[in-house]
């Protein structure tokens, strides 16, 4: 999101289920208005039937995520883990997607057939892997890890691509994290192809 856009009249129905509704006939929505609608949507999505402990935990998560909303235009900090397309270190940023019920995925996944690499990666996130590479001083393990990152600098592996296709249901929308950007993914109901939404530069 860039700039403020043109402000529009606010509609009364901000969040219907997990769908963010915008004003009728609106051509532009200001950044401020959009962020407010996201925050309102989060507040409306509280699950029913939570016990006291779960309710307190949920309220804390909501509070943490709401404090994050104003920073959305500047981006979110997430840390991928290389053992699955939905594997991320748990942070407030990842909780944002969880609370909205939007799958957050990536395709930077190690092939299980690369046994030594998979064992080295384990549940490590990107930040931990880079730390091990730096501190490893060119030992065998750090070289294997460095080669994995360098040979998959696009942050998408062949195995990860197949796993993305398997993870998405027909007609499902998800968010793909790749090359430090968030993109919209959609799996077509009929062709079963995955479509990638790319925004043209303004």
């Amino acid at each position: 999101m860039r700039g403020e856009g043109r402000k529009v009249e606010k509609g009364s129905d901000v969040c219907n289920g997990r769908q963010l509704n915008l004003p009728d006939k609106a051509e532009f929505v200001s950044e401020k208005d959009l962020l407010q609608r996201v925050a309102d949507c989060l507040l409306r999505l509280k699950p029913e039937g939570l016990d006291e402990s779960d309710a307190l935990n949920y309220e804390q998560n909501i509070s943490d995520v709401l404090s994050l909303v104003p920073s959305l235009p500047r981006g979110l900090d997430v840390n991928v883990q290389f053992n699955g397309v939905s594997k991320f270190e748990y942070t407030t940023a990842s909780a944002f997607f969880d609370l909205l019920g939007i799958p957050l995925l990536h395709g930077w996944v190690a092939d299980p057939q690369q046994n030594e690499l998979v064992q080295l990666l384990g549940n490590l996130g990107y930040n931990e892997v880079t730390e091990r590479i730096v501190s490893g001083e060119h030992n065998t393990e750090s070289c294997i890890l460095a080669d994995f990152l360098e040979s998959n600098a696009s942050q998408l592996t062949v195995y990860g691509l197949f796993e993305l296709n398997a993870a998405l249901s027909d007609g499902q929308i998800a968010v793909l994290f790749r090359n430090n950007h968030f993109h919209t993914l959609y799996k077509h109901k009929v062709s079963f192809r995955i479509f990638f939404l790319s925004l043209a530069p303004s």
Side-chain angles (χ1 to χ4, degrees):
M1 292 176 284
R2 295 183 181 179
E4 287 291 325
R6 190 174 72 191
K7 196 166 185 178
V8 296
E9 294 297 323
K10 293 186 178 182
S12 57
D13 187 9
V14 175
C15 181
N16 178 16
R18 296 190 184 279
Q19 179 178 347
L20 189 68
N21 294 325
L22 300 178
D24 292 339
K25 300 180 181 179
E27 296 182 7
F28 299 96
V29 178
S30 70
E31 180 180 289
K32 180 179 179 181
D33 189 19
L34 182 58
L35 292 178
Q36 183 60 55
R37 288 171 181 274
V38 170
D40 290 344
C41 187
L42 284 164
L43 290 172
R44 290 170 183 255
L45 290 176
K46 182 177 180 178
E48 298 180 357
L50 295 177
D51 60 32
E52 184 176 354
S53 176
D54 288 339
L56 289 173
N57 184 56
Y58 183 86
E59 292 296 338
Q60 182 60 57
N61 286 338
I62 280 288
S63 177
D64 293 341
V65 167
L66 287 176
S67 68
L68 191 70
V69 169
S71 67
L72 289 178
R74 298 190 296 275
L76 294 172
D77 184 19
V78 297
N79 187 24
V80 304
Q81 296 171 322
F82 304 99
N83 55 348
V85 293
S86 62
K87 300 295 185 180
F88 292 83
E89 177 186 344
Y90 185 81
T91 62
T92 302
S94 62
F96 171 77
F97 294 97
D98 289 342
L99 290 174
L100 287 174
I102 301 173
L104 175 62
L105 307 173
H106 70 90
W108 208 358
V109 184
D111 190 327
Q113 294 184 1
Q114 297 177 284
N115 295 325
E116 187 174 10
L117 172 63
V118 170
Q119 289 180 5
L120 288 175
L121 289 171
N123 293 320
L124 298 178
Y126 173 80
N127 295 338
E128 294 169 300
V129 169
T130 54
E131 288 174 5
R132 292 201 176 190
I133 292 172
V134 172
S135 62
E137 297 182 354
H138 303 292
N139 62 28
T140 301
E141 291 185 357
S142 65
C143 288
I144 292 174
L145 294 174
D147 181 67
F148 171 71
L149 295 187
E150 292 171 6
S151 60
N152 297 284
S154 65
Q155 299 186 5
L156 182 67
T157 64
V158 173
Y159 180 78
L161 189 58
F162 281 104
E163 287 296 290
L164 281 172
N165 186 57
L168 287 170
S169 302
D170 301 340
Q172 186 177 18
I173 292 176
V175 171
L176 174 71
F177 179 73
R178 183 187 178 201
N179 291 333
N180 298 321
H181 289 82
F182 296 93
H183 309 276
T184 302
L185 287 182
Y186 172 72
K187 188 171 184 179
H188 196 269
K189 294 181 180 179
V190 178
S191 67
F192 310 121
R193 296 170 63 187
I194 294 179
F195 290 85
F196 175 94
L197 177 62
S198 179
L199 298 179
S202 58

